[in-house]
Structures are given as C-alpha cells and as structure tokens.
Amino acid sequence: MPNDLKPVWRIPVGGGFSSPVVLRGKLVYLDENGSREVAHLIDAKTGKEIWNVPFADRFGDEWGAGPRSTPFIDGDRAYVQSCNGEFRCLSVADGKVVWGTSFEKDFGVKFLGSKANSGTATRRGNNGSAVLDGEGVIVPVGSTDGATLVRFDKRTGKVLWKSGDDEAAYSSPIIATLAGARQIVYLSADSLSGYDPRDGNILWRVPLKTDAKRHACSPAIVNDTVTVNSQTFGTICFRIVKEGDGFKAIEAWANKDLKTNLGTAVRVGDCFYNQGANRDYVCLDAKSGRINWSQPGFGQGKKDYSSTIVAGKNLLVLNEEGTLLLLEANPAKYAELSRAQVCGNTWCFPAYADGRLYVRDGRQLACYNLSGAN
C-alpha cells in the first residue's frame, strides 16, 4: 500500500457515522441533508449516484449529525435505520419503501436525544444494526416492554416474534453457534444474552449494568466463547455451556483494565486485535485476555477510535484521524507495513470489497484501490 494513496473517486456526502456497504458493484450509504436522514445507492466503481431517499428526521448532538447505523443489502432489498428509530426496507432497484417500522409508534420506544440521562440508543441514536437470519431480520428495537429484539419477515415486515425487556445500547446482534445451539447474541444496555432465533426465547443472560450504559461493541465469537468490551467493565469473555435442558454463561476471563469504549475486537488465530484503553492499539490473547503488546498513538483523548478489517494475513486499521494503517497480524509484536491518509476525522467503519476500500468522514466518501494489501 503506497503512502501517497490516491482515490479512484471521491464524492461529497452529508454528516453521519454510518458505514458504507457494498454488494455486486452497488454501494449503499446513509447521511443527512440538513433536515432529513437520507439513504443513497451509488455505483461502487464510479461513485455515480443511482437514487437517494430521505427516510427520517435528522438527529444531531455535540458529536455530530446524521445516521449512525450501518445499512445492509439482501438481494433486491436494502435495509436502513435512522437515529430516531425509523427502520426501512427499500427496493434496490428504485429506492421505494417495501416496508417499514417505527420503534416509537409500533413499540413505544420514545426517542429522547439529549434529554435522556443515560447512554442508551434513545439518547445517542440507534447505532446498532439489524442482522439477517434466513427469511427473517433481527432488529434491536430496545423496548423494555417485551421487544428488546424483534424478528420481522424480511420481505413483508410482519412481526414474527419479539423478546426481552432491555433497552438497546449501541451494539449489533450477532448470529453464532454456541454450545451446539444456533443463537442470536446481543449486548444490550443491560445485559449480554443469547436468544433462540426460532422463537426469541432467551437461552442465557448475564446482567452487565453500567452507569452510562454505553455499550458500543458487538460480541466477538470464538468457539463457544463470547467476548465484549466497555469503558466501564473492561473486556470480559464468557463461555456458553449446556446445563440440563438450558444454557449457562460462565466467565472465562476478564481484563478489567482493557476499557475499550469504541471498537469491536477482531480475531486472527488465537488473538484479538482492537483499540486499547490508553490511546493505543492492542493485541490480546483470546484464550486468557492477557495483552501481548500495545502500541501508542491511536487517539487524541477525544474519540479514541479505530476500526479493524482482516485482509489475508494483514490488518487494515483506520484510526480516528482518518489514517489507514496496514499492519501484520502478528501476535509477537506491532509490525506496521505502511500508512496513508485517506479521509478526515472519522468514526465510520470502512468497507473492503474486491480489493477496494470505501471510506468516509462527515464530508466525503472515497474509494481506494488496495489490491495487494493482503
């Protein structure tokens, strides 16, 4: 990767922390236009816009304005979510709404914004993304009245089940097989839990209550273990085991000093790579939680964020300053191969597809050719 990396194309975009997604040469991204949150479909090769659809009122706070949830594409449908809890299934062909739901109107989840006093999705926006599961889509609605997670028919929007009494935080649900059972693993504002994808039955639950409720990572799965992190409780790993007819979560290890606020651990081999607690980047042993090495220089004491993508034997790490680093996935030492400035200050996870990296900040979306990065 050259240090003076030049974009293939670059286009202006509105604000937001939402990540771009790419499928079959099409790219979907979300932003805001000053009054509305907007979904866009563009040609991934050229950056040329195909359509745009405003779908919710704009939300902003002291950190910025615009959508914070990552969209996703399934065949001829794209799924998008606003900060204030408007979820839409759109036609990829023309952007028309196929179906939609409102967390407030349909499930009673009132969006409070800055009026809220704890860091749930009702305060800083619905950041967590839904996940597809067969013919269903699992949405982190966050209702304390029996609808933490809701499974909709992905084509019609029919509610198939709803489950849980936790508020949503900023995490996305993950589909995994643990202790022989396929399940939905979700870190809410109040707990880490496993749900049966067939009926929403809660298989196991670990309360993880923190003062701020600012749980902003997605669960990292390794075999029968689930690892999560927070700026309050640090990094904790639970082993899911069968117990009679049910399941139980047992703490496997805890590194209470590794208080990662923003960043989900990525596994390569027996190691996790992630943003650290002290404006650093860390490699930790996935089996014990011990830090193998840490490298300073990842943060300015403000956002202290980095995202990690595994690219073959290497890692693509984008830090909060918009610097892209190509690192070896090396458990023994920090080994930087190259770096390039690819955007401005950002909290947006990039997309990597067919050797191209798509990266955005609050003003621009750019495409870079990284063929050979792995």
Side-chain angles (χ1 to χ4, degrees), residues 182-195:
R182 194 167 182 275
Q183 50 195 273
I184 305 158
V185 184
Y186 181 59
L187 177 64
S188 73
D190 305 294
S191 74
L192 177 67
S193 304
Y195 296 73

Side-chain angles (χ1 to χ4, degrees), residues 266-284:
V266 171
R267 175 204 178 194
V268 179
D270 291 329
C271 295
F272 284 132
Y273 298 86
N274 198 9
Q275 177 77 21
N278 302 303
R279 304 179 202 173
D280 56 353
Y281 191 81
V282 300
C283 168
L284 63 150

Side-chain angles (χ1 to χ4, degrees), residues 67-89:
R68 300 177 180 186
S69 171
T70 295
F72 53 97
I73 308 171
D74 179 45
D76 60 355
R77 297 170 310 282
Y79 298 84
V80 301
Q81 180 179 279
S82 71
C83 280
N84 63 10
E86 295 293 325
F87 186 87
R88 299 287 183 270
C89 172

